[in-house]
Amino acid sequence: MPPVSARLPVFPWDRLEPYKATAAAHPDGIVDLSVGTPVDPVPELIRAALADASDSPGYPTVWGTAALRDALTGWVERRLGAAGVTHTQVLPVVGSKELVASLPAQLGLGPGDRVAFPRLAYPTYEVGARLAGAEPVPYDEPVDLDPAGLKLLWLNSPANPTGRVLSKDELRTAVAWARAHGVLVVSDECYLELGWEANPVSVLHPEISGGSFEGLVAVHSLSKRSNLAGYRAAFLAGDEAVLGELLKIRKHGGMMVPAPVQAATAAALGDDKHVAEQRERYERRRAALRSALAGRGFRIEHSEASLYLWATRDEPCWDTVGALAELGILVAPGEFYGAAGERHVRVAFTATDERVEAAARRLAA
């Protein structure tokens, strides 16, 4: 049998290793702004909830505890503006990347089916389509897509890598088009609580959904807003028919969020204070890096939300990566996110205050 990995593109991050070595050789050490991984402590109330639930010898349920489902529905109503959300409209998952990569297969898609995603995008959307044997289809505008065979439409707002936020009108238009053509909309909203120059809105908001979750699923993660990337804590909310089918499949697959992580997730979603504190950290780091990059001749495009600055000097992205590596700064080439990013780099501001200050000094020298 041919290996499944043969369907997939080369893992892009391996190509960054030589540049990482160059940056690591800087006398003051590397400033790694390439991967948006949290570096700040997990809030104490979340760690306490995890510890309190650590004596969990039995199997957890795929659907999650009632307390977790209460926390999920409460957060969706409070933060996304939805109303009357029930337990059948939420589903915990083992990290959002696992979900994105496996969703087309769990939906039963395969050869002859098409999966659409933004032309500049998180590469795992394409990976998920290829793993299922479906056709990956990049788009500039969803309404310009050919709906024939199209089964799944990914939206991403705030977007990775660009930080672009879709307006209410853009979201409404995409949802109306998808519903008219019987296409499931799955909206990746993992950066929704990290808007800086825009206020991101969920597809589940009544002004977008029309008060119905039919044909809509939103993906959310606690990795960024609560520093829980290591916990693999994420969830879905939306169409109960879709989530009910996924629940049946995930039960058979044993796709269970560990019980202590379920307790930690419930605690995290019930507290907004730590989210505000983390936002303040990121806002300071973003401002410092944005100013330093502008002073070095970079132009920042979009970047109104998320944890990244989408930057360009109108040169090939690998030239930019190489020049910054000589300063001990590692960034991600825009090409990783599609050919349309070949003259941009993605700069994460998830480094510590000390490392961000070091990067700003080097860029100003």
Side-chain angles (χ1 to χ4, degrees):
M1 294 179 64
V4 175
S5 61
R7 304 176 191 169
L8 306 179
V10 175
F11 189 64
W13 292 93
D14 293 342
R15 298 173 58 197
L16 203 56
E17 285 303 314
Y19 299 91
K20 185 175 184 178
T22 298
H26 190 279
D28 187 36
I30 188 173
V31 180
D32 193 343
L33 308 178
S34 64
V35 182
T37 187
V39 297
D40 299 303
V42 173
E44 178 56 39
L45 88 158
I46 301 174
R47 285 186 281 168
L50 184 83
D52 289 345
S54 61
D55 185 15
S56 297
Y59 290 111
T61 64
V62 172
W63 198 16
T65 63
L68 174 59
R69 284 179 266 129
D70 283 343
L72 294 175
T73 57
W75 185 87
V76 170
E77 290 187 346
R78 185 178 81 252
R79 185 61 188 84
L80 304 187
V85 184
T86 67
H87 283 196
T88 58
Q89 294 171 318
V90 293
L91 180 66
V93 295
V94 191
S96 58
K97 184 169 185 176
E98 169 269 321
L99 183 282
V100 172
S102 63
L103 183 61
Q106 290 183 43
L107 291 172
L109 305 190
D113 296 322
R114 302 164 71 231
V115 175
F117 49 85
R119 191 170 301 280
L120 269 171
Y122 183 47
T124 312
Y125 304 136
E126 178 180 355
V127 166
R130 292 188 180 279
L131 283 173
E135 178 188 352
V137 183
Y139 67 79
D140 294 308
E141 296 294 338
V143 296
D144 294 333
L145 286 163
D146 178 356
L150 186 63
K151 300 297 178 62
L152 172 58
L153 171 65
W154 281 105
L155 301 180
N156 182 207
S157 176
N160 176 15
T162 64
R164 180 189 173 198
V165 173
L166 296 176
S167 69
K168 289 182 179 179
D169 284 343
E170 288 173 309
L171 289 170
R172 273 193 292 264
T173 298
V175 167
W177 181 89
R179 283 174 165 169
H181 295 287
V183 178
L184 175 66
V185 173
V186 182
S187 180
D188 181 347
E189 302 173 354
C190 290
Y191 296 93
L192 186 132
E193 293 189 286
L194 295 164
W196 312 111
E197 298 163 8
N199 294 314
V201 178
S202 172
V203 292
L204 303 184
H205 191 284
E207 292 184 24
I208 310 303
S209 69
S212 167
F213 289 174
E214 183 180 358
L216 304 177
V217 174
V219 182
H220 284 273
S221 167
L222 283 78
S223 293
K224 316 300 186 183
R225 50 96 72 191
S226 297
N227 299 333
L228 295 188
Y231 284 44
R232 310 314 301 135
F235 64 94
L236 306 178
D239 190 325
E240 64 182 354
V242 176
L243 268 55
E245 178 65 13
L246 291 175
L247 176 59
K248 292 176 185 176
I249 294 164
R250 295 174 71 84
K251 283 180 177 179
H252 281 290
M255 300 174 186
M256 301 172 283
V257 176
V261 174
Q262 292 190 28
T265 300
L269 292 175
D271 178 73
D272 294 330
K273 182 173 180 289
H274 77 275
V275 180
E277 291 172 349
Q278 188 60 45
R279 273 182 55 88
E280 290 175 2
R281 295 186 188 104
Y282 285 140
E283 192 166 22
R284 291 195 306 270
R285 294 166 187 167
R286 177 181 183 272
L289 285 171
R290 184 173 190 133
S291 176
L293 287 165
R296 193 82 180 190
F298 283 88
R299 184 175 70 255
I300 308 299
E301 296 182 352
H302 297 301
S303 306
E304 56 260 33
S306 83
L307 290 178
Y308 313 107
L309 295 169
W310 187 238
T312 182
R313 289 196 303 195
D314 296 309
E315 64 184 5
C317 60
W318 287 104
D319 291 354
T320 307
V321 170
L324 291 176
E326 294 293 336
L327 298 176
I329 301 170
L330 189 67
V331 299
E335 184 185 272
F336 281 6
Y337 307 94
E342 63 185 5
R343 299 180 75 83
H344 290 73
V345 293
R346 192 194 75 170
V347 184
F349 41 91
T350 52
T352 63
D353 290 344
E354 184 274 331
R355 289 288 83 189
V356 168
E357 290 167 6
R361 287 195 304 271
R362 296 175 197 181
L363 289 165

